[in-house]
Amino acid sequence: MSERFTRGSTPTVTAPSPAAVRRLRAGSRGAVTPLAAAVLIAGVALSGCAQQRDGDVYTVMNSSTDESYHRWDAEAMARCGERLGVRIEQQSVPAAQVMTKALRMASSKSLPDIVQFDASEMPVFAEAGGLVDLRTLGLSTRDVPEGIVDFGSYKGTYYGAARSVNTLALFYNKDVLDEAGVRVPTTWAELRETARKLTEGKRYGLALSAGGAEDGVFQFTPFMWSNGGDERKLDGPRVVEALDYWKALLKDGSLSKSTVNWTQADVNDQFMAGNAAMMINGPWQVETLNTRKSLHWGIAEIPVPEAGATSVGPLGGAVLTVPRTGDAERERTAGRIVACLASEKEQLTYALNSWMVPANAKAAAVWRERVPELDALADQVAAARSRTARLGAGWPKVSLALQSAFQSALTGQSSEAALQRAQQRATSGN
């Protein structure tokens, strides 16, 4: 989506499909180092905020450039603004630009009151000292599961409040599986065999994203983590096995060779067009899937290496943060706005609109009752974890290294060699 935005206005967008909400995971972004962020943020809190602000107008910068999401956020902000006696304006920029724009605004001392970061990017801003501890602003995590608290935390400090979270699951075409007389696979062996059986003519058994962007890394993590792989040692045997499994699917002909170029939106397009019987994707695609009334789809947890293993996917989503501007009074009010937007009631409304899973446990319980067809997704979220849990601000380097490894391994190089090179890149940054 292109950015055509003016402060306080509804953005003009280039008519994206609802699938554009893949913004809620990290998109194809370059890594921003904590050092670079620190240089840009330095001095903001000490010198105060240079921008002249309307005392009753508070600004939230997010990536809600999709028309539906922008409207839902605007409605939530209007409700919270009325409740708190302030006006809340929304600035929406493409997801890939949130971090760089926030850093530019920090350097010019014109930060918004609240920034919604992709959770995988938040640690970079936190590492640089640019965010306020939300607990000091009165936000409670009492009804938020520990994994989701960690999702919004960096080095034990709670900087980001999630309204909803998401993860990946296995989507399948019910009619195709029924016609072939096969069950929904639960293990890697079953997935491989089922994908082979369902590959026919122009239809592939499975579609997934292995592109050279964060989409591909996001999709690889369930295979890596469920197999016991560790992102701190990319050349470890468990990670190699996971990438070898992807290579086996490709060798079988169950995956298209174009998988190395596909985003998650591309994968969904293939599934909807009947070119794939199953796909790995997330709930941000549900709105689009439901526009095809003839498509009878189901959802299940992503298969695991061995029966009885836990399917561990990545937690995706965004978190609301309060940048450190040096204006303590505005920061406190910004914290009240975040608390309202992340309240149980607002979370449930947002999740039912977006098909995401509420971060609040009580809201999530109601959500399960309201959308039972996505129950498997809630189970997958329960075992999911943050990409930055072990690496914090070091995640972007690992992500970029893995992206290169996919491209190399799926086009001929051995998984072991590709991941050895990835580990070197992740460690050296080159």
Side-chain angles (χ1 to χ4, degrees):
M1 276 172 278
S2 61
E3 179 185 5
R4 295 189 223 157
F5 172 78
T6 55
R7 182 182 174 90
S9 67
T10 299
T12 301
V13 295
T14 56
S17 72
V21 300
R22 61 183 181 275
R23 62 183 177 79
L24 291 176
R25 297 102 45 246
S28 54
R29 304 178 178 118
V32 178
T33 67
L35 178 60
V39 169
L40 289 169
I41 294 171
V44 174
L46 295 176
S47 61
C49 187
Q51 183 187 47
Q52 190 67 34
R53 296 174 184 260
D54 185 328
D56 292 326
V57 179
Y58 288 77
T59 304
V60 179
M61 184 168 74
N62 60 24
S63 57
S64 297
T65 51
D66 179 87
E67 184 179 357
S68 296
Y69 279 76
H70 191 84
R71 182 178 72 255
W72 298 332
D73 278 339
E75 291 168 353
M77 290 174 197
R79 289 190 294 268
C80 286
E82 183 176 0
R83 200 170 303 154
L84 299 174
V86 298
R87 191 165 89 246
I88 307 172
E89 293 184 348
Q90 180 178 194
Q91 291 185 1
S92 297
V93 301
Q97 298 178 21
V98 172
M99 174 60 76
T100 52
K101 189 173 182 69
L103 291 173
R104 286 198 303 269
M105 295 174 83
S107 67
S108 63
K109 302 181 179 62
S110 59
L111 277 165
D113 298 287
I114 297 165
V115 178
Q116 180 174 284
F117 284 112
D118 183 281
S120 68
E121 292 189 331
M122 177 273 292
V124 174
F125 220 81
E127 172 77 7
L131 299 177
V132 179
D133 179 350
L134 294 183
R135 287 195 176 97
T136 68
L137 300 179
L139 272 81
S140 170
T141 58
R142 182 181 56 194
D143 295 321
V144 182
E146 183 179 353
I148 298 178
V149 174
D150 291 343
F151 181 66
S153 301
Y154 179 61
K155 292 185 176 178
T157 301
Y158 184 57
Y159 292 113
R163 291 184 291 169
S164 66
V165 292
N166 60 67
T167 190
L168 295 166
L170 179 72
F171 288 75
Y172 57 91
N173 187 313
K174 292 182 177 180
D175 294 336
V176 172
L177 266 68
D178 287 347
E179 184 180 339
V182 296
R183 296 182 301 176
V184 178
T186 61
T187 66
W188 281 9
E190 290 176 359
L191 177 60
R192 186 175 180 186
E193 181 60 25
T194 301
R196 267 199 299 250
K197 287 182 177 179
L198 299 179
T199 298
E200 182 179 303
K202 294 182 178 180
R203 186 186 69 208
Y204 291 93
L206 179 67
L208 55 79
S209 168
E214 187 69 18
D215 274 13
V217 178
F218 198 71
Q219 295 228 330
F220 183 65
T221 54
F223 295 89
M224 175 172 71
W225 289 339
S226 298
N227 197 44
D230 191 329
E231 56 270 38
R232 294 168 298 187
K233 188 169 177 55
L234 297 180
D235 54 354
R238 298 293 186 176
V239 186
V240 173
E241 285 174 4
L243 189 49
D244 274 341
Y245 182 74
W246 271 17
K247 291 190 68 167
L249 292 170
L250 190 65
K251 184 179 180 181
D252 289 345
S254 300
L255 291 179
S256 167
K257 292 181 180 179
S258 297
T259 194
V260 295
N261 300 315
W262 283 347
T263 65
Q264 294 179 119
D266 296 328
V267 168
N268 192 60
D269 290 343
Q270 296 297 320
F271 182 73
M272 290 187 67
N275 296 329
M278 300 179 291
M279 71 170 176
I280 305 295
N281 228 314
W284 50 89
Q285 308 293 7
V286 170
E287 187 176 0
T288 307
L289 289 170
N290 285 342
T291 63
R292 186 70 57 83
K293 301 302 181 184
S294 61
L295 178 60
H296 304 129
W297 58 271
I299 188 172
E301 291 187 57
I302 296 174
V304 292
E306 301 290 341
T310 300
S311 184
V312 184
L315 269 180
V319 292
L320 294 166
T321 70
V322 176
R324 190 177 298 281
T325 62
D327 188 330
E329 184 177 349
R330 287 190 72 91
E331 289 171 1
R332 282 193 293 272
T333 301
R336 292 170 62 207
I337 293 171
V338 170
C340 180
L341 292 173
S343 65
E344 180 181 340
K345 183 177 180 180
E346 290 295 342
Q347 281 195 27
L348 183 59
T349 299
Y350 184 79
L352 289 172
N353 280 333
S354 65
W355 303 96
M356 306 298 174
V357 182
N360 179 286
K362 292 180 179 178
V366 176
W367 181 88
R368 277 181 182 262
E369 296 175 357
R370 299 279 291 274
V371 284
E373 66 270 28
L374 295 184
D375 198 53
L377 184 74
D379 291 336
Q380 189 88 61
V381 162
R385 66 178 179 85
S386 169
R387 286 161 285 172
T388 59
R390 294 179 177 175
L391 293 172
W395 171 260
K397 289 195 297 184
V398 166
S399 176
L400 289 172
L402 276 173
Q403 291 168 32
S404 296
F406 301 155
Q407 299 295 297
S408 298
L410 296 178
T411 54
Q413 191 175 30
S414 74
S415 297
E416 186 174 11
L419 288 168
Q420 285 176 349
R421 177 58 178 147
Q423 181 62 29
Q424 291 171 358
R425 288 179 173 177
T427 303
S428 67
N430 296 320

